[in-house]
């Protein structure tokens, strides 16, 4: 009897072991031996996978750096061409021996025909989906060729929009394609509409497909929207605790997203953490970010407001488009749902607001029946389908269909829902308007500034360094951007007649000072309204290239702009800074006669009279200072520290500037 029991246990163990062995997945990455060419060109060039066509062209010195001077204009031809990629590979023995072999693309950007050994096996049309194809029957043990033809997304969407006429989908043909919308240009980004194998490609082989692991929600989140005597609340309760959200909007950190490595994400997200942020909104015109991004948010305690990738355009309502989005949503929710950092899903950025209040109907001369159809397609996707698909993917986190609920020109935008308050900047209103216009949760607002002057030196030549130059204009994408900046400089910093006489260096300094002043005081007003207001997410944390923008960090080295230091202080919980009561232009300043000493990794400063916005610049330094753009009281020492590694062994060359030197 004992022998039979032992024999049965052994058989059971062997069966379970065999089952587990059969369920194992053997993986072979296909990242080597890639080449690319312009469609049907005679010459092939080395390619990097994962990668993008622009970065492959750059690596092979076939295009100039699009970020330098106005080279963006010189590479626009790239988006009009089709591009071929190919790789030859053998199949590893452990893979080839399995019963099932799948070719897996985690990301193809975007319109791509995939051939394996001459056989068309896939026609992809969504940058945000994973594609799996059973390829066992077409594979050989040795000498396989994988070939991909990428079609111009710009040509595709242009032809689709033309075919739909007189029906018009506002406000850009990009509406037709499931591709990062910022690739088509934005008011802070270049137009670099590329293609490529932008995520991992591999073979997955198994004898028995592994079962999907059961999902357990990693965090309990409630988005509390309850009517009250002033409208309706809007706040996040995390594991039963109401939480005030302090943070920023996050766009892709590089126009070429495949250049971002884990170390780059860490540096960027530490900038958020060190600025005392606890939430980032992943904006809907970019990408569903890499696993590295969300893993770091999990570990750093940064909550994520996750938009689906729709921004500023209506959507097609045909069956193929809707089915395509359904697969995208289900894939992305299942990919991301285990991250405790994600606390809300959001359908889109500003589409509801745009359709109802941006004047599209008259601008595009819509027929009434077309307007009705567009709205029906919109509500079907964002209000009906996506929340259903999220639940089908097994996730129960809160969902909002659009951000904001109401635009900044609507009275109820201040009393319920989340608010994008753009009366500041776009409306030219003073920062103090938030005394009366602070909403329940402000998910966008901002103030622009120039990039760091070191960045301007990097992308210009001396003859470019005046605001009206083609180069400086090409690195200011916002409509009437310089005029708007000048308006805020006039109101807060300097007399209007002196603005045009400023050097680009001094102009840069002053715009960063006004951004510092604006963010500091807007945040402090928002926080003073708690618990009526339960969140403030400034626009924006980061840049994707060197540009005048609302970002509080610079593209190069992720260096802080002036406003980063202001935000860091304004988001503190241990000490609540006081608001400014006098505008900088109204201060009575005199020569502060600032002196300093460098002692190791410290700079010790003193001033004889009050100094405003003291800017310490260390030539060639790639790190951040412990403080900058600070006020210096007369006779008091100020000690700031820096990381000696950021100087790469060089002796620090220090330059000091304060507001008095610029406005005297």
């Amino acid at each position: 009897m004992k022998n039979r029991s032992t024999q049965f246990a052994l058989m059971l163990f062997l069966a379970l072991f065999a089952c587990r062995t059969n369920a194992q997945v053997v993986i072979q990455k296909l990242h080597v031996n890639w080449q690319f060419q312009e469609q049907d060109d005679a010459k092939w060039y080395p390619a990097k996978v994962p990668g993008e066509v622009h970065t492959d062209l750059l690596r092979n010195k076939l295009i100039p750096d699009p970020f330098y001077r106005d080279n963006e204009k010189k590479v626009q031809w790239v988006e009009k061409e089709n591009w071929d990629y190919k790789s030859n590979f053998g199949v590893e023995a452990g893979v080839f021996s399995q019963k099932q072999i799948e070719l897996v693309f985690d990301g193809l950007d975007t319109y791509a025909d995939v051939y394996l050994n001459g056989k068309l096996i896939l026609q992809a049309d969504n940058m945000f989906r994973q594609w799996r194809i059973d390829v066992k029957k077409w594979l050989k043990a040795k000498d396989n060729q994988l070939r991909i033809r990428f079609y111009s997304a710009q040509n595709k969407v242009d032809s689709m929009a033309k075919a739909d006429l007189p029906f018009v989908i506002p406000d850009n043909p990009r509406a037709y394609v499931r591709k990062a919308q910022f690739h088509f240009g934005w008011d802070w980004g270049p137009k670099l509409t590329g293609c490529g194998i932008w995520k991992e490609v591999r073979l997955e082989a198994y004898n028995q497909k592994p079962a999907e692991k059961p999902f357990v929600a990693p965090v309990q989140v409630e988005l509390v929207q309850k009517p009250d005597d002033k409208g309706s609340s809007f706040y996040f309760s995390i594991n039963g605790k109401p939480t005030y959200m302090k943070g920023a909007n996050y766009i892709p950190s590089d126009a070429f997203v495949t250049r971002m490595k884990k170390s780059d994400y860490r540096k960027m997200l530490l900038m958020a953490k060190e600025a005392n942020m606890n939430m980032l909104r992943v904006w809907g015109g970019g990408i569903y970010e890499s696993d590295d991004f969300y893993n770091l948010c999990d570990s750093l305690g940064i909550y994520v407001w996750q938009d689906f990738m729709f921004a500023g355009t209506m959507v097609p309502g045909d069956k193929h488009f809707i089915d395509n989005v359904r697969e995208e949503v289900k894939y992305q929710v299942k990919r991301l749902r285990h991250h405790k950092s994600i606390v809300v899903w959001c359908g889109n950025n500003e589409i509801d607001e745009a359709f109802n209040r941006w004047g599209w109907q008259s601008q595009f001369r819509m027929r009434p029946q077309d307007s009705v159809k567009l709205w029906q397609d919109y509500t079907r996707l964002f209000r009906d389908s996506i929340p259903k698909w999220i639940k089908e993917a097994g996730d129960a986190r809160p969902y909002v269909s659009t951000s904001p609920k109401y635009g900044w020109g609507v009275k109820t935008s201040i009393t319920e829902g989340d608010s994008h308050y753009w009366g500041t900047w776009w409306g030219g209103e003073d920062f103090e308007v938030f005394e009366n216009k602070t909403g329940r949760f402000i998910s966008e607002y901002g103030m622009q500034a120039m990039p760091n002057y070191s960045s301007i030196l990097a992308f210009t030549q001396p003859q470019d360094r005046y605001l009206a130059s083609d180069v400086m204009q090409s690195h200011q994408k916002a409509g009437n951007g310089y005029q708007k900046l000048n308006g805020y400089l006039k109101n807060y910093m300097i007399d209007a007649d002196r603005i045009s006489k400023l050097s680009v260096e001094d102009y840069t300094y002053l715009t960063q000072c006004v951004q510092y002043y604006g963010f500091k005081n807007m945040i402090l007003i928002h926080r003073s309204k708690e618990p009526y207001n339960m969140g403030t997410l400034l626009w924006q944390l980061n840049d994707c290239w060197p540009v005048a923008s609302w970002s509080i960090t610079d593209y190069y080295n992720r260096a802080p702009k002036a406003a980063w230091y202001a935000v860091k202080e304004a988001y503190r919980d241990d000490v609540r800074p006081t608001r400014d009561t006098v505008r900088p232009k109204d201060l009575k300043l005199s020569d502060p006669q600032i002196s300093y000493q460098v002692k190791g990794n410290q700079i010790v400063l003193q001033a004889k009279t009050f100094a405003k916005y003291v800017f310490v610049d260390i030539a060639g330094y790639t790190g951040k200072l412990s403080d900058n753009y600070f006020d210096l009281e007369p006779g008091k020492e100020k000690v700031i520290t820096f990381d000696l590694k950021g100087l790469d062994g060089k002796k620090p060359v220090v330059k000091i500037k304060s507001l008095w030197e610029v406005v005297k």
Side-chain angles (χ1 to χ4, degrees), residues 335-348:
R335 179 175 82 90
L336 299 175
R337 65 187 181 181
H338 67 281
H339 290 287
K340 64 181 180 180
S341 54
I342 297 175
V343 295
V344 63
W345 305 102
C346 176
N348 68 75

Side-chain angles (χ1 to χ4, degrees), residues 403-421:
S403 178
K405 185 174 183 180
Y406 302 109
W408 61 272
V410 180
K411 188 176 181 180
T412 47
S413 69
I414 307 304
T415 59
E416 61 179 278
D418 69 311
S419 165
H420 291 191
Y421 193 80

Side-chain angles (χ1 to χ4, degrees), residues 403-559:
S403 178
K405 185 174 183 180
Y406 302 109
W408 61 272
V410 180
K411 188 176 181 180
T412 47
S413 69
I414 307 304
T415 59
E416 61 179 278
D418 69 311
S419 165
H420 291 191
Y421 193 80
W422 284 109
T424 51
W425 181 257
W426 288 112
E429 296 176 344
D430 287 350
F431 306 126
E432 293 78 15
V433 71
F434 280 110
E435 286 286 14
N436 300 311
K437 294 292 181 71
T438 293
R440 312 308 293 259
F441 191 104
I442 307 173
S443 46
E444 276 191 29
Y445 66 100
M447 177 62 207
Q448 206 192 70
M450 299 290 281
N452 289 341
Y453 190 63
S454 58
S455 292
I456 293 174
L457 293 177
F459 69 71
T460 62
Q461 291 185 1
Q463 66 267 30
D464 305 325
R465 291 169 197 153
Y466 63 100
L467 292 186
S469 74
D470 288 344
V471 171
M472 293 301 295
Q473 292 289 331
S474 72
H475 289 258
Q476 166 63 279
K477 298 293 188 181
N480 299 317
Y482 287 131
Q483 293 93 318
K484 287 189 175 76
L485 271 174
N486 292 348
Y488 281 93
L489 291 182
K490 175 178 69 72
N491 288 347
Y492 286 91
M493 291 289 159
I494 192 171
D495 291 340
D497 60 353
R498 300 184 60 193
I499 294 173
S500 62
K501 300 171 186 174
L502 293 168
S503 67
V504 169
E505 183 174 5
D506 284 347
Y507 185 87
T508 295
Y509 167 81
L510 278 187
T511 66
Q512 292 217 9
C513 289
V514 80
Q515 191 188 40
Y516 181 113
Y517 182 97
F519 274 127
K520 172 188 173 182
N521 289 287
M522 288 188 288
I523 289 169
L524 292 177
I525 294 172
H526 298 166
R527 297 193 69 187
S528 73
K529 307 291 186 181
E530 184 181 352
Y532 179 86
N533 167 266
M534 285 296 286
T536 172
L537 307 180
L538 64 89
W539 184 273
Q540 65 209 66
L541 175 66
N542 56 319
D543 271 330
C544 68
W545 78 314
V547 66
S549 83
W550 302 263
S551 176
I552 62 170
T553 60
D554 197 72
Y555 171 75
Y556 290 121
N557 299 311
R558 310 300 167 188

Side-chain angles (χ1 to χ4, degrees), residues 184-198:
F184 295 86
W186 221 265
D187 59 4
W188 38 254
K191 188 178 191 307
L192 297 166
T193 314
C195 63
I197 307 167
W198 76 289

Side-chain angles (χ1 to χ4, degrees), residues 14 67 103 105 162 183 197 380 509 523 556 599 620:
L14 290 171
F67 294 2
L103 176 61
F105 294 97
K162 187 176 180 180
H183 283 170
I197 307 167
R380 175 190 171 199
Y509 167 81
I523 289 169
Y556 290 121
K599 299 179 179 180

Side-chain angles (χ1 to χ4, degrees), residues 169-178 181 186 309-316 321 348-352 354-355 358 360 374 378 381-382:
I169 299 179
D171 71 334
N172 191 297
R174 62 184 168 82
Y176 289 89
V177 62
R178 295 309 301 138
Q181 300 287 279
W186 221 265
M309 291 301 116
F310 298 88
T313 64
M314 300 303 283
V315 292
F321 184 88
N348 68 75
N349 173 75
E350 294 185 347
I351 303 180
D352 191 312
F355 186 79
W358 287 6
W360 280 346
L374 282 165
Y378 171 88
L381 180 60
F382 294 108

